[in-house]
Amino acid sequence: MTQPTIETETNSKLLKGILIGGLVGGALTLLDSHTRNKIKRSAILLKDNSVNMIEQVKENPGEVKEQMVSGVKGATNTIKEAINDVETLYENVNEDVLGKVTEVKDISTDALDSAKEATSELKGISSKVVVAGKQLKETPAQSLKDDIKKGEKESDELVTQSELSNEKSISSNF
């Protein structure tokens, strides 16, 4: 003897609830006359089709079998064609999209390499500009300016010395 567990009791209550809910829902839908008529027509069509199928199987079982096999083969062929179409589409998309992705990747890699080269060339150019600037500061014009400044200092010193000597000579005369 096994004792029902909580899980099996819960499952059986759930199943009972689903069945009762389905019956109540079905009964409520039958209250509508339009729904009742539709269900009645569907049941009659189902009965008639079933009777016709049974009669055909009794009269010509081979023919019904051939029709069913033919229908299954037709559906199988249609499914195979659809699978082939999907494979072809996949291959085309794969070639086109992946080809473009590879192409874009190559282009972006080339662009990145070009940018890196341009950066290194710009660094070289800027170092040359710095050197040129230093050279400009050391040009003869700068040397000339420096010489002029030195000359001015020297001349100032000479003037100062001559003034001093003049003062000495003037003071000695007195």
Side-chain angles (χ1 to χ4, degrees):
M1 250 177 33
T2 60
Q3 291 184 343
T5 63
I6 294 175
E7 188 175 309
T8 57
E9 286 179 10
T10 304
N11 287 341
S12 66
K13 286 181 183 178
L14 178 64
L15 184 58
K16 286 179 189 175
I18 290 172
L19 289 175
I20 291 171
L23 291 174
V24 170
L28 287 174
T29 57
L30 291 176
L31 292 176
D32 182 31
S33 64
H34 179 68
T35 305
R36 275 196 314 271
N37 290 333
K38 190 174 181 181
I39 290 175
K40 195 185 294 183
R41 282 187 299 238
S42 296
I44 291 170
L45 282 173
L46 181 62
K47 179 187 139 226
D48 290 344
N49 287 338
S50 299
V51 169
N52 286 338
M53 179 67 101
I54 291 171
E55 286 177 11
Q56 286 178 359
V57 170
K58 284 182 184 178
E59 292 175 8
N60 296 321
E63 185 180 325
V64 172
K65 177 186 165 191
E66 285 179 29
Q67 285 178 351
M68 292 182 86
V69 168
S70 169
V72 169
K73 284 183 180 178
T76 303
N77 287 337
T78 304
I79 289 173
K80 285 180 182 178
E81 288 175 8
I83 289 171
N84 287 336
D85 290 347
V86 167
E87 286 176 348
T88 303
L89 177 65
Y90 173 75
E91 289 172 1
N92 289 340
V93 167
N94 209 11
E95 288 173 10
D96 290 346
V97 171
L98 289 180
K100 298 292 182 194
V101 167
T102 304
E103 186 177 327
V104 168
K105 181 181 172 187
D106 291 342
I107 290 170
S108 63
T109 303
D110 291 345
L112 184 62
D113 290 342
S114 296
K116 286 179 181 178
E117 286 177 25
T119 302
S120 65
E121 288 177 13
L122 281 174
K123 286 181 182 177
I125 291 170
S126 66
S127 65
K128 288 179 181 177
V129 168
V130 168
V131 168
K134 287 180 181 178
Q135 288 174 346
L136 282 175
K137 286 183 180 179
E138 297 174 1
T139 61
Q142 184 65 35
S143 300
L144 185 61
K145 284 181 184 177
D146 291 342
D147 289 343
I148 291 172
K149 284 183 183 178
K150 282 182 184 177
E152 287 175 356
K153 281 185 181 179
E154 289 175 359
S155 66
D156 286 344
E157 288 175 4
L158 285 174
V159 168
T160 306
Q161 286 177 1
S162 68
E163 285 176 355
L164 286 176
S165 65
N166 285 340
E167 284 179 12
K168 285 182 183 179
S169 66
I170 293 174
S171 60
S172 61
N173 289 336
F174 286 106

